[in-house]
Amino acid sequence: MSAPTLVSASPAPASAAVPFEVPDAAPTAAELLDFVRSVAADPERVAQLALDPLDRSWIRLEGPGGAEAWLLGWPPGTETGWHDHGGSYGAFVTAGGELTEESLAVPLPSEGWSSLELAEGLDRTRALPAGKGRAFGRNHVHQVANRSEERHAISVHAYYPPLPLIRRYLRDGRTLRLDVVEHPETW
Ligand SMILES: [Fe+2]
């Protein structure tokens, strides 16, 4: 499998390769997955989320070991767009309806570039019906969508460390271009 081709890149600071040190007590990705699964399997907790017919809705949760966590509602046809998680790792699971995750089969640097031309064959698509989810690493780039035209989807997400930022990308064929960087005060 080929690595993605860098089209343009600026030198990244030396700290970019290891954006944070994971403390010994930090929750593992497997523990984050256990957490989101346990919330998704609890109908009373899931029912606390009020679904909006047009907009995504959310409740912030207390994640394990200081992790950031969310219960999210997805109206039909909504999607995140391509993004990363600023170097955090995490997990998510569908609690109701079905989500579709489109992701890349290679980890991408979470800083130091503005445009990438992806090699062929890196796209992965997975359907995540209720009860299905995944953990992901620090350099995971994906988009998540509710492709249903009729049904809401509900999902549970956890990130460690709490998201320092999210980089949003525009995808045009095999080209991924940095669009905006969002910081926690904007979500
Ligand atoms: Fe994400």
Side-chain angles (χ1 to χ4, degrees):
M1 182 168 299
S2 316
T5 306
L6 276 173
V7 170
S8 65
S10 54
S15 62
V18 183
F20 59 89
E21 295 294 331
V22 177
D24 290 343
T28 65
E31 287 167 339
L32 297 182
L33 186 57
D34 285 346
F35 169 78
V36 295
R37 281 189 172 138
S38 70
V39 174
D42 183 340
E44 284 186 20
R45 294 188 80 178
V46 173
Q48 290 173 351
L49 180 68
L51 298 179
D52 185 296
L54 296 178
D55 290 324
R56 289 170 66 188
S57 53
W58 55 87
I59 294 176
R60 189 157 188 159
L61 305 173
E62 196 71 38
E68 177 176 342
W70 297 90
L71 180 59
L72 299 182
W74 308 65
T78 49
E79 63 180 19
T80 59
W82 287 91
H83 64 276
D84 70 11
H85 309 91
S88 294
Y89 56 90
F92 68 100
V93 65
T94 303
E98 178 172 308
L99 290 173
T100 300
E101 183 198 36
E102 295 171 27
S103 62
L104 301 174
V106 289
L108 295 184
S110 57
E111 57 185 288
W113 59 276
S114 58
S115 180
L116 279 172
E117 184 176 344
L118 301 165
E120 284 188 57
L122 298 181
D123 284 295
R124 299 288 183 271
T125 300
R126 63 173 81 184
L128 298 170
K132 295 289 184 189
R134 64 166 300 167
F136 56 84
R138 296 177 175 189
N139 301 109
H140 189 56
V141 174
H142 69 170
Q143 72 168 340
V144 182
N146 177 9
R147 300 286 185 219
S148 170
E149 295 180 0
E150 292 126 27
R151 257 195 101 181
H152 267 75
I154 299 172
S155 57
V156 188
H157 303 245
Y159 310 95
Y160 191 88
L163 292 170
L165 51 83
I166 292 176
R167 292 182 182 81
R168 296 197 176 278
Y169 303 104
L170 298 175
R171 177 85 190 261
D172 182 8
R174 284 161 50 191
T175 303
L176 204 58
R177 190 176 304 279
L178 180 63
D179 183 22
V180 294
V181 179
E182 294 181 356
H183 295 273
E185 56 271 20
T186 64
W187 68 71

